[in-house]
Amino acid sequence: DTGVSQDPRHKITKRGQNVTFRCDPISEHNRLYWYRQTLGQGPEFLTYFQNEAQLEKSRLLSDRFSAERPKGSFSTLEIQRTEQGDSAMYLCASSTGDNQPQHFGDGTRLSIL
Amino acid sequence: KQEVTQIPAALSVPEGENLVLNCSFTDSAIYNLQWFRQDPGKGLTSLLLIQSSQREQTSGRLNASLDKSSGRSTLYIAASQPGDSATYLCAVRDSSYKLIFGSGTRLLVRP
């Protein structure tokens, strides 16, 4: 059990650029979640996958955000035309079932210049 | 709409003290409640998960209780140590798949 892995750990980019983050869940965890956390706040839900199907998407996720989980393994989160307000920590979590603990990665910290 | 509140926002205690962190939620129709620990710049570490049908869970020096009808949970930390210093977050899972988090309690245990 190597834990949830996220890449990169830090991303600095200019406003208007596109960025993509990757999440590798714990092996055999078929549930995968993306959250966003700003300083001093708890994480806020973005989207949820069960295997390769995206089953829920928050209203926080504007059209500039897209997430995929091809083949039900790793997932990517892409932000197009980044804005200052996108600066945050993006966290990925996985679990084996809806009533099982969610295990989090160390996140990707995004800074928009 | 489910809202989760954690009080206090920050807490400083001397080493060895027993302490209680509080979490309240507005809608009692939850599936489970999870307590996490977060160190600065890091992700969340799962501490305890309590199912809606359970009253408490224990792991080492940690004990979490759940009173669903009153919308409250407490995390009890026995014999606190400097290594316990971190932010503690509680989160509830309602009928959707997501966790809804409080803003956390920042704990400092002084040597």
Side-chain angles (χ1 to χ4, degrees):
Chain A
D1 183 350
T2 57
V4 177
S5 178
Q6 292 190 244
D7 184 69
R9 290 294 316 279
H10 305 276
K11 179 70 177 179
I12 302 173
T13 192
K14 293 181 179 179
R15 184 168 55 90
Q17 297 295 304
N18 299 342
V19 294
T20 300
F21 311 140
R22 176 180 170 122
C23 171
D24 286 273
I26 294 171
S27 177
E28 298 179 359
H29 280 200
N30 60 356
R31 269 77 162 170
L32 187 146
Y33 314 80
W34 285 97
Y35 293 83
R36 179 171 67 187
Q37 185 178 28
T38 54
L39 203 60
Q41 301 298 313
E44 293 178 293
F45 170 81
L46 293 178
T47 191
Y48 161 71
F49 290 86
Q50 186 171 326
N51 299 310
E52 66 273 12
Q54 188 174 18
L55 297 186
E56 190 171 349
K57 193 173 169 179
S58 166
R59 279 173 288 182
L60 290 176
L61 232 56
S62 73
D63 292 344
R64 297 184 299 104
F65 288 72
S66 63
E68 295 182 341
R69 193 183 182 197
K71 302 178 184 177
S73 57
F74 71 91
S75 176
T76 58
L77 178 68
E78 181 183 15
I79 309 174
Q80 296 182 328
R81 305 180 304 282
T82 52
E83 302 173 354
Q84 289 285 350
D86 296 333
S87 294
M89 174 80 89
Y90 290 84
L91 294 161
C92 177
S94 69
S95 73
T96 56
D98 293 332
N99 244 9
Q100 298 302 312
Q102 293 186 23
H103 297 275
F104 283 74
D106 278 342
T108 293
R109 180 166 297 285
L110 174 64
S111 299
I112 307 297
L113 301 178
Chain B
K1 179 190 170 189
Q2 177 76 266
E3 292 183 0
V4 180
T5 303
Q6 291 187 247
I7 294 173
L11 183 62
S12 178
V13 301
E15 181 177 3
E17 193 163 297
N18 301 326
L19 58 100
V20 173
L21 306 181
N22 297 295
C23 173
S24 62
F25 46 95
T26 54
D27 186 346
S28 62
I30 65 169
Y31 279 63
N32 61 50
L33 184 145
Q34 200 166 350
W35 281 94
F36 295 89
R37 167 191 173 130
Q38 186 172 32
D39 293 290
K42 297 284 193 177
L44 282 64
T45 300
S46 178
L47 297 174
L48 291 164
L49 180 144
I50 311 178
Q51 303 291 356
S52 62
S53 59
Q54 297 175 322
R55 297 284 295 189
E56 65 179 327
Q57 282 287 330
T58 298
S59 175
R61 294 183 294 108
L62 305 179
N63 176 276
S65 68
L66 174 64
D67 184 343
K68 208 171 70 158
S69 60
S70 68
R72 295 178 187 274
S73 175
T74 60
L75 179 67
Y76 174 83
I77 302 177
S80 58
Q81 303 170 358
D84 295 330
S85 299
T87 296
Y88 290 81
L89 294 151
C90 76
V92 299
R93 191 202 143 224
D94 58 14
S95 57
S96 70
Y97 303 104
K98 62 182 179 283
L99 290 177
I100 301 163
F101 285 83
S103 295
T105 294
R106 294 188 311 279
L107 173 66
L108 174 64
V109 181
R110 307 186 304 271

